[in-house]
Amino acid sequence: MIVEKTAESEGGKKLTSISVKQKLMLLPDQPGCYLMKNEFGKVIYVGKAKVLKNRVKSYFSGTHDGKTQRLVSEIRDFEYIVTSTEMEALVLEMNLIKKHDPRYNVMLKDDKSYPYLKITAEKQPRLLYIRKIKKDGGKYFGPFVNAYAAQETKKLLDRIFPLRKCDTMPKRVCLYYHIGQCLGPCVYDVTEQENKKMVDGIVKFLNGGYQDVKNELSEKMLEASEALNFERAKELRDQIQHIEAVMEKQKMMTADLVDRDVFGYHFDKGWMCVQVFFIRQGKVIARDISVFPFYGEANEDLLTFIGQFYLQKNHLLPKEILLPQEVDANLVSELLQVKVLQPKKGQKKELVELATKNASLALHEKFALIEQDEARTIKAVENLGERIGIAAPYRIEAFDNSNIHGTDPVSAMVVFVDGKPYKKDYRKYKIKSVEGPDDYASMKEVVRRRYTRVLREEGELPSLILIDGGKGQISAAQDVLENELNLFIPVAGLSKDEKHRTSQLWIGDPPEMIHLARNSQEFYLLQRIQDEVHRFAISFHRKVRSKSMFESTLDSIAGIGDKRKKMLLRHFGSLKKLKEASVDEIQAAGVPKPVAELIEKAFLSNE
């Protein structure tokens, strides 16, 4: 059972009007989750607790390290949700983090992913290289030590087990059929038994039975050699060598062949490092290293990490998980529905100790760099605020327009939080209401669209807005913010010198130039922001322009409508790749031969 504390206390007063100190007195002696909010009402941290009263009060008493003190200094309000059990609190915490994406909950924000191989559950199955696991009935294998190993393994399996390759069935066989890597189910009747035999072979191969496959290939190689079919014998020999190169590099780490993940962790000074060893078929094939700040109890935050690792990042659950002794193994087992062990002796205990040792070494190895970087960037933000006369701009949003002679005008916005890129909040805009190269009007449109939406969705407003440009661009942005949206956010302009380098900072009404030392951290911060927003805008403009050129070229060709344009763009990805394609390759994308010949002719005549 979950009970959420409503906006009114027992006395009928609005909680938002009660001071944090008074609200602390109302906290219950029960498990649950708490949500810390800043002055804008934005959730900045979500935590869980066995006893809410003790945990939440601990933030507002005693001494803390600088990192936690900074979190506390931003808290203006909090709310809590009571749960019946610790398990409910753990699940709720993960859901709340996913919903609110609080800036201080940084455990798994790096979007790190590992390659897997997947056999689809389609009638004519495919073998795919993927990075995201879905509950779609497919068979997944991995993670692989790196992308190259996964890709090489897939290439090897494509040679041995010729499942279909095309995303959508073409009307005729493609190149893969001609080179023996597809049985051509688009044209020929490939039975369920044939597909099952190949799928079983791949499953056996990836589950450690590659030695049997290797032996079968060796027998076929000898047969081909005896039949004087030396070309086929050489092809089989190459496949055998490929198996040895891809699958037999690593030493066995455990006597059994159980797939298991081994967790070790170490924490110090408010930071935690978690290392996960992936053991597949008795081999350590990869490891995950995560270093992040934490603000609660180390053991409980590790539980949240493990839950996010499997349930939100969709890492493939193994048959068995090994954990250190101090972690609540029963809670992990109940949450994930998997066998969890805390070995006390033997090789499994040594694996946990090895993961823990590596976590300790990694944390101390990176400590100096992390703290140095954190201190440098935060100091740069604080110095910038001081120089331009505002509070430290912990959240900066920067805009840049991009067009060539007014064609395909676009704009882009990047976000820096605590002096670092926050790519989740980056945004791209196609200019809709402006004709021709009007930079001021374009800036007005984008600022209007951005902050109208932020207000409508009650999103987080920035402490500072940076505009690529000078006085005119600043005035255009300020006009929209103040006169249309009633927002009074500081707006600064960044102008460049003749070499297109960050040169001057303008702010105020009317704008005045702020002199910053070129070797100062705040100047470097502005350079990074301006370079990043310019890169983001240019890359978006190139993509839009490439698509526009792609479509305009195809518009002149008979037999090409919107449907085929989209199909070709999806298949080739760019105009350049389509121009380089042969008639056969264009046909393989699903285009009739006469139309494919017209496409090739059109591109040749334009060269």
Side-chain angles (χ1 to χ4, degrees):
M1 182 181 70
I2 297 175
V3 180
E4 183 169 1
K5 189 64 179 178
T6 63
E8 293 189 358
S9 68
E10 290 79 356
K13 294 182 180 180
K14 295 286 185 182
L15 281 181
T16 51
S17 66
I18 303 175
S19 69
V20 169
K21 186 175 181 180
Q22 289 173 300
K23 287 177 69 174
L24 290 172
M25 298 172 65
L26 304 175
L27 286 162
D29 295 315
Q30 296 178 51
C33 292
Y34 51 92
L35 300 89
M36 302 298 196
K37 299 181 177 181
N38 65 9
E39 59 182 319
F40 301 110
K42 173 79 172 176
V43 176
I44 57 175
Y45 182 69
V46 171
K48 67 178 178 304
K50 293 180 182 177
V51 181
L52 280 167
K53 178 186 288 187
N54 296 344
R55 172 58 54 76
V56 178
K57 279 186 175 181
S58 71
Y59 289 94
F60 303 95
S61 61
T63 58
H64 305 288
D65 57 43
K67 172 181 58 62
T68 304
Q69 186 57 47
R70 175 136 176 268
L71 164 64
V72 174
S73 71
E74 292 189 38
I75 298 172
R76 295 293 181 271
D77 194 11
F78 69 86
E79 61 181 90
Y80 58 88
I81 302 173
V82 175
T83 62
S84 300
T85 64
E86 289 180 59
M87 171 59 66
E88 284 186 1
L90 176 57
V91 174
L92 178 61
E93 180 195 34
M94 289 189 294
N95 290 335
L96 290 172
I97 290 173
K98 188 174 182 179
K99 176 183 177 182
H100 294 286
D101 191 27
R103 55 186 291 213
Y104 283 100
N105 292 96
V106 295
M107 287 183 186
L108 287 177
K109 284 189 178 180
D110 56 1
D111 291 327
K112 184 167 38 182
S113 62
Y114 292 90
Y116 292 83
L117 293 183
K118 169 188 174 181
I119 303 173
T120 66
E122 299 163 291
K123 183 179 179 181
Q124 295 292 338
R126 294 174 292 154
L127 178 65
L128 304 178
Y129 168 92
I130 55 97
R131 284 185 179 271
K132 289 187 178 180
I133 296 174
K134 299 177 182 178
K135 294 180 179 179
D136 55 6
K139 301 178 189 293
Y140 291 85
F141 304 88
F144 282 80
V145 65
N146 56 39
Y148 178 77
Q151 289 163 350
E152 287 299 299
T153 303
K154 182 182 182 302
K155 287 179 185 177
L156 170 62
L157 291 170
D158 284 340
R159 296 189 187 108
I160 302 172
F161 305 102
L163 293 176
R164 79 175 175 102
K165 302 294 182 292
C166 300
D167 292 340
T168 56
M169 289 283 197
K171 294 181 180 179
R172 63 185 68 193
V173 294
C174 64
L175 181 63
Y176 287 110
Y177 173 81
H178 293 295
I179 62 175
Q181 292 189 20
C182 178
L183 295 181
C186 53
V187 174
Y188 303 103
D189 182 26
V190 180
T191 66
E192 184 179 343
Q193 290 74 18
E194 286 179 285
N195 281 324
K196 185 178 185 303
K197 183 179 179 181
M198 287 189 288
V199 168
D200 289 346
I202 294 173
V203 171
K204 181 180 180 182
F205 186 97
L206 292 173
N207 279 335
Y210 53 84
Q211 188 64 48
D212 292 340
V213 175
K214 180 182 165 184
N215 292 338
E216 290 174 15
L217 292 175
S218 296
E219 290 177 11
K220 290 180 181 179
M221 181 183 69
L222 289 173
E223 290 173 4
S225 180
E226 290 171 358
L228 304 181
N229 188 348
F230 298 117
E231 186 175 344
R232 176 61 176 160
K234 180 180 181 299
E235 181 183 331
L236 291 165
R237 185 205 65 189
D238 291 344
Q239 290 184 7
I240 293 167
Q241 290 176 346
H242 214 88
I243 291 176
E244 293 170 347
V246 173
M247 305 300 294
E248 297 184 351
K249 286 181 178 178
Q250 302 174 49
K251 293 167 62 179
M252 294 293 287
M253 288 294 297
T254 57
D256 57 26
L257 298 179
V258 175
D259 290 352
R260 54 173 61 94
D261 291 348
V262 183
F263 283 80
Y265 77 112
H266 184 76
F267 62 93
D268 189 16
K269 302 175 185 175
W271 287 82
M272 184 184 296
C273 177
V274 181
Q275 293 229 5
V276 189
F277 289 166
F278 301 109
I279 298 180
R280 299 294 181 266
Q281 297 300 308
K283 303 171 185 176
V284 176
I285 64 166
R287 70 169 175 170
D288 178 278
I289 306 173
S290 297
V291 179
F292 51 87
F294 71 101
Y295 301 88
E297 294 294 325
N299 294 347
E300 292 185 14
D301 277 10
L302 178 63
L303 290 175
T304 303
F305 177 91
I306 294 172
Q308 288 181 313
F309 191 79
Y310 291 110
L311 301 181
Q312 292 183 2
K313 296 298 286 186
N314 287 327
H315 286 283
L316 196 63
L317 267 172
K319 297 289 185 183
E320 185 178 286
I321 293 175
L322 306 185
L323 294 177
Q325 291 293 327
E326 58 271 21
V327 184
D328 191 334
N330 292 330
L331 205 56
V332 175
S333 179
E334 185 182 349
L335 177 68
L336 302 177
Q337 296 297 299
V338 69
K339 184 179 180 181
V340 178
L341 299 178
Q342 293 174 295
K344 296 181 180 179
K345 60 181 180 179
Q347 190 179 30
K348 293 180 181 178
K349 180 174 183 289
E350 291 175 4
L351 284 169
V352 174
E353 289 175 344
L354 185 61
T356 302
K357 181 179 179 181
N358 275 274
S360 174
L361 290 171
L363 183 60
H364 287 101
E365 192 175 281
K366 294 184 179 181
F367 243 140
L369 291 174
I370 293 171
E371 292 183 346
Q372 182 181 359
D373 181 57
E374 183 83 7
R376 185 169 60 247
T377 53
I378 291 298
K379 189 64 177 174
V381 171
E382 292 170 349
N383 287 349
L384 178 62
E386 185 178 329
R387 290 302 309 274
I388 62 180
I390 64 171
Y394 293 118
R395 182 182 177 94
I396 298 173
E397 298 188 354
F399 295 84
D400 189 11
N401 297 330
S402 180
N403 66 77
I404 298 177
H405 305 303
T407 61
D408 302 312
V410 300
S411 187
M413 182 202 74
V414 302
V415 179
F416 273 59
V417 175
D418 295 341
K420 297 177 181 178
Y422 191 65
K423 295 189 176 183
K424 179 181 178 296
D425 283 359
Y426 282 19
R427 294 292 182 269
K428 303 170 183 175
Y429 301 90
K430 288 183 179 180
I431 303 301
K432 299 178 179 178
S433 64
V434 181
E435 294 292 335
D438 189 335
D439 204 34
Y440 299 159
S442 296
M443 187 60 68
K444 281 189 173 185
E445 178 190 322
V446 173
V447 169
R448 183 182 299 113
R449 287 166 60 186
R450 166 63 180 166
Y451 296 108
T452 297
R453 182 166 185 172
V454 171
L455 291 172
R456 184 174 66 248
E457 297 178 354
E458 298 182 350
E460 185 173 3
L461 291 166
S463 312
L464 174 67
I465 294 172
L466 285 178
I467 303 294
D468 188 71
K471 296 179 180 180
Q473 285 86 351
I474 294 174
S475 298
Q478 285 176 329
D479 181 42
V480 172
L481 291 167
E482 297 176 10
N483 298 325
E484 296 183 27
L485 304 177
N486 198 32
L487 291 175
F488 296 88
I489 303 170
V491 180
L494 287 171
S495 57
K496 296 185 175 74
D497 59 20
E498 66 281 357
K499 295 184 179 179
H500 211 67
R501 297 175 303 191
T502 303
S503 175
Q504 295 174 329
L505 174 68
W506 298 82
I507 194 168
D509 188 12
E512 296 181 358
M513 189 172 69
I514 304 294
H515 294 280
L516 297 177
R518 287 182 176 259
N519 61 349
S520 65
Q521 291 297 332
E522 51 269 34
F523 186 80
Y524 293 150
L525 172 62
L526 292 176
Q527 277 186 321
R528 291 199 302 275
I529 295 174
Q530 190 170 40
D531 289 346
E532 176 68 356
V533 70
H534 184 67
R535 176 202 65 78
F536 193 50
I538 288 293
S539 64
F540 180 45
H541 183 255
R542 284 174 179 161
K543 185 176 180 181
V544 170
R545 186 163 173 261
S546 174
K547 184 177 179 181
S548 176
M549 290 173 62
F550 187 100
E551 293 178 345
S552 63
T553 304
L554 295 177
D555 283 337
S556 62
I557 301 173
I560 296 292
D562 288 339
K563 187 176 180 180
R564 277 188 176 151
K565 276 194 295 186
K566 290 178 182 177
M567 180 180 67
L568 287 166
L569 179 59
R570 186 167 55 247
H571 185 88
F572 289 101
S574 70
L575 184 66
K576 182 175 182 291
K577 288 185 178 178
L578 177 57
K579 288 171 69 174
E580 294 171 349
S582 66
V583 171
D584 287 343
E585 288 170 329
I586 298 172
Q587 272 187 271
V591 176
K593 185 173 182 179
V595 179
E597 290 172 345
L598 286 174
I599 292 172
E600 184 185 52
K601 184 178 179 181
F603 286 126
L604 288 173
S605 64
N606 287 333
E607 291 182 351

